[in-house]
Amino acid sequence: MDELQLLRDFAGPAQLPAHDDLARSRAQLLAATTARRPARRWVWGSVTAAGLAAAAAAVVVLTPAEDAGPVPEPEPVRILHAAAAKARALPDVIPRPDQFVYTKTLLADGRENETWASVDGTHDGLAFVFGHETEVAGCRDGKRVTNRCVPHPAAPADLPTDADAMLAYLHKSTYGEGDTLHDLGREVVTLAGGYLRPAVRAALYEAVAKVPGLVVRTTKDATGRPVLGITWNSTNEHGIGNQDEFLFDPVTFAYLGDGTTGVVVSQGIVDAVRQRP
């Protein structure tokens, strides 16, 4: 609607008003404006009737930003925040250092992998990967068998529970890959695939929600179930694109694994290798 034309139709052709009429109209407009917008101060100079019409139209058009409705979250961000809320509501189980994180994943070709990873990284674990059994030696006193090493806990302690702090932690390149978005993806996959306490897992999803260039697609996991896949476009120094895709249940928003290592079928804390939850 053209507010100026509406005013013209209502008032008829504008003519120069008398000085007293102009002053009175200006005072009335100021009083009305001040009553409606006490936080704003309007200053008017000497104007014509057409100028007053434009000013009145401006009162209609100039709407403060706070009057607008909330800006909707982008779809990937909404999904990650929903997944974070779901994770935060899970029971908080604190594993002992001598326990193991058991994880069973299913690949697209139907094969299953199982791993028993040391909670503190110092105990010998086990992996059944692609049909082969492999012992995963723990790192004790800075040595793994005869080689120097640094323990990689399967359930790291003291991880951030705040999104910004988690993002800063990821950018430290805790596994030494680098500090690009491509490298950050590898960091997130490593953490998400392990055991995380609920508040930590929620912070991880909220940190990912801050990454630029997120995209979401509906796909199917290795079991044929529909899932939501979230990833972002990035490449490393060799021009290799990001292959990391985080899969979530479209109804419960539970984390189901990533698009590279397979779907997480089962995960839990056990007391010994070969034991299953």
Side-chain angles (χ1 to χ4, degrees), residues 58 126 133 141 273:
L126 187 68
E133 179 178 323
D141 299 323
V273 296

Side-chain angles (χ1 to χ4, degrees), residues 32-90:
T33 303
T34 303
R36 182 177 179 182
R37 296 278 189 264
R40 293 184 182 272
R41 184 181 177 189
W42 298 84
V43 180
W44 303 94
S46 180
V47 294
T48 64
L52 282 173
V59 173
V60 177
V61 174
L62 293 177
T63 304
E66 62 266 23
D67 288 352
V71 178
E73 292 181 322
E75 188 68 9
V77 175
R78 183 187 68 82
I79 294 169
L80 286 164
H81 283 174
K86 189 74 176 180
R88 194 171 276 113
L90 295 174

